[in-house]
Amino acid sequence: QRLVSLLAQAIGADSADTIDTAVPMVAIGLDSLQALEFRRRVKMELNHDLEVADLLGGASIAEVLAKLDA
């Protein structure tokens, strides 16, 4: 849930509850600058590095979570 909240903050969504974790992040409006901001927030708060190419390449939050758990 924290990851979804960080994404909501990065894209300026009103609520994390409105984000469908199965939909690619670019389909919900993530652009390159927001991807960099999301990556920075995840690194700062969760100490995980995310690849911007994954974020912009059609990955969903669920796929990013699976990668972080691996």
Side-chain angles (χ1 to χ4, degrees):
Q1 187 62 23
R2 184 68 190 134
L3 193 64
V4 177
S5 178
L6 292 174
L7 177 62
Q9 292 169 16
I11 65 172
D14 292 333
S15 169
D17 296 333
T18 62
I19 295 176
D20 184 345
T21 60
V23 173
M25 290 179 278
V26 292
I28 59 171
L30 185 74
D31 65 25
S32 58
L33 292 177
Q34 292 167 336
L36 290 172
E37 176 62 17
F38 178 53
R39 181 178 185 250
R40 183 189 69 78
R41 289 174 188 250
V42 169
K43 177 64 177 169
M44 233 173 50
E45 295 194 30
L46 304 176
N47 198 31
H48 285 287
D49 283 320
L50 299 177
E51 295 293 327
V52 174
D54 289 342
L55 303 178
L56 296 174
S60 67
I61 282 286
E63 292 167 336
V64 171
L65 279 170
K67 202 170 198 181
L68 290 178
D69 287 342

